[in-house]
Amino acid sequence: MHAGDEEGWGLRVPKREAEERRQDLIARGLLDRSRRPRADGADLLLPLTEEVPGAELALFAAFPPREDLPRHELVGGIAIMQDEDVAGAVRILASRPSLHTVVVPLSAVEGEFRTRSFRVLAGEPTTRTTVTEHGHRFAVDLSHAYFSARLSTERQRIRSLMAPAERLCDMFAGVGPFAIACSARASLVVAADLNPAAVSLMCENIGRNRVTNVLPVLADAAHLPRIFGRTFERVVMNLPMESAGFLPAAFALCRPGGTIHFYTLQDAEGGYLERIRAFPVKAVTERRVRSYSPGEWHAVYDIVVGE
C-alpha cells in the first residue's frame, strides 16, 4: 500500500487478456481511467467505475493529472476523432503505444456498402488495423467495411443465448465479428454481406481464427430465403438504419420457435413493435444497446418467431 492509494472496485483478469478486457470495459463505459491498473502475480486488477459481477474491492493508485485528450473512439490501433484537430491527433497518438494511426471521418456511414471516408491526421497512412475481441482477432479496414467495437458485449450476449449446434444466419455480416464470435456454439453460420470488400476481409478473419463452420456469402440479404429457406434457429440483423425493410426475409429464414435479433435506430420506446407484430411473433423483448446521437439510440428487438 502506498500513500494516496484508494479503495475501489476492480476486475481481476489474466495479464494475457488484459488489453482485450480493458477495451471491452472502455466500450461499456466501465473502466475508471483516473486510476492505474494493479498487478497481482499473473493477474491484473482493472479499476472500475462501478461494481459489476465478479468485481472485488482493491487499492488503486491514481494517475497523475494529465491534459485532457480530444474525444475519440478506438478501433484496434486506430483512433477516430470527431473533429479535424491535427495537434490533438498528435497528442492522442502519443497517449498509448498500441495506437498507430489517428483519423477523422469525412462522411457519415453511407451507401449500400455502409462505408465512410477518412483523413489520416497522425501516424501511419492507413485505415486498416487488427481488433482483438474476446479471444478473436479481426482484420478491419474502416474505409472499406463498417465495424463497431462498441458491439463487443452484444456479440457475447448473443453467443450466450445460443443452444449448442444452432444454425445461425448473419444477414449483414460485415467482416464477420458476430458470425465468428457465435461460431463456437453453432453447427453452421451463414454470414452474408453485399459488400465484396467486407466479404474478402471476412474470409481472412475466418482463416486467422481457424473457424471451420462459417460460410461466407456475397449476396443481397433479401435473396437469402430463396437460397436457404426456413433453415435457421437464430437470425442476426445488424443493419441499424435499414434493417426494417428486411424483416420479411428474416422471418422467411427463421424457424418457428427460433429467435431474430433485429437491430435498429430509434427515438421512441417500442417504435418498431407494430411493424414487428405484423409477422408471426410468439414473444418480443426490446432493449437499448447504446446511445447513438442526442435523442436517438441503437436498440435491439429479440423476437421469438411464432408458427
Side-chain angles (χ1 to χ4, degrees):
M1 179 174 176
H2 297 90
D5 287 359
E6 294 184 358
E7 188 177 58
W9 291 108
L11 187 66
R12 182 179 296 273
V13 301
K15 286 182 179 178
R16 64 181 180 277
E17 300 176 10
E19 181 58 23
E20 176 186 340
R21 300 294 295 275
R22 190 180 76 87
Q23 293 294 339
D24 178 55
L25 291 172
I26 290 173
R28 295 159 61 193
L30 292 172
L31 185 72
D32 184 351
R33 302 202 208 193
S34 69
R35 295 184 289 173
R36 293 183 183 275
R38 177 183 165 188
D40 186 10
D43 296 335
L44 200 67
L45 282 161
L46 299 176
L48 302 172
T49 57
E50 61 186 71
E51 184 182 5
V52 301
E56 60 186 83
L57 287 171
L59 294 172
F60 294 97
F63 278 116
R66 66 178 184 178
E67 182 182 9
D68 287 337
L69 295 172
R71 291 184 64 186
H72 61 282
E73 174 187 353
L74 298 178
V75 178
I78 296 178
I80 305 172
M81 298 185 68
Q82 295 186 345
D83 302 305
E84 189 164 348
D85 175 1
V86 175
V90 171
R91 299 204 316 273
I92 291 171
L93 187 67
S95 68
R96 50 172 59 88
S98 59
L99 289 178
H100 57 75
T101 303
V102 182
V103 301
V104 63
L106 300 178
S107 69
V109 177
E110 59 188 6
E112 63 177 354
F113 294 160
R114 298 185 295 158
T115 56
R116 287 191 290 180
S117 57
F118 294 88
R119 175 174 291 133
V120 175
L121 299 180
E124 300 174 18
T126 183
T127 54
R128 182 181 169 100
T129 189
T130 298
V131 175
T132 301
E133 185 179 288
H134 294 282
H136 295 113
R137 289 170 61 81
F138 300 107
V140 174
D141 192 320
L142 299 176
S143 293
H144 293 145
Y146 180 77
F147 180 88
S148 175
R150 295 180 180 180
L151 294 179
S152 169
T153 301
E154 188 64 17
R155 289 187 269 272
Q156 293 304 304
R157 184 183 76 88
I158 301 303
R159 181 184 185 278
S160 72
L161 294 174
M162 293 177 66
E166 282 189 4
R167 290 162 293 185
L168 181 146
C169 181
D170 187 349
M171 296 177 68
F172 314 102
V175 304
F178 267 102
I180 292 170
C182 294
S183 62
R185 301 283 291 175
S187 60
L188 172 68
V189 179
V190 171
D193 205 281
L194 186 62
N195 179 353
V199 174
S200 178
L201 286 162
M202 187 200 315
C203 291
E204 180 179 342
N205 291 329
I206 289 169
R208 68 164 55 192
N209 289 285
R210 299 179 180 179
V211 174
T212 59
N213 61 342
V214 175
L215 175 64
V217 179
L218 177 62
D220 184 327
H223 301 316
L224 293 176
R226 285 189 283 171
I227 303 170
F228 297 100
R230 207 171 191 188
T231 300
F232 303 96
E233 284 79 33
R234 196 169 301 272
V235 174
V236 175
M237 305 177 67
N238 183 33
L239 187 70
M241 296 180 184
E242 303 172 28
S243 56
F246 292 89
L247 279 169
F251 277 88
L253 288 164
C254 194
R255 296 167 63 88
T259 303
I260 297 169
H261 303 284
F262 164 57
Y263 294 85
T264 188
L265 299 180
Q266 62 182 28
D267 57 9
E269 299 286 347
Y272 283 86
L273 283 175
E274 183 176 351
R275 193 160 181 176
I276 290 167
R277 286 174 174 150
F279 298 93
V281 173
K282 184 177 180 180
V284 58
T285 304
E286 175 188 357
R287 64 189 299 272
R288 188 178 297 215
V289 177
R290 64 185 180 96
S291 297
Y292 184 78
S293 63
E296 191 175 36
W297 61 91
H298 196 171
V300 59
Y301 292 83
D302 296 332
I303 306 162
V304 180
V305 175
E307 297 289 343

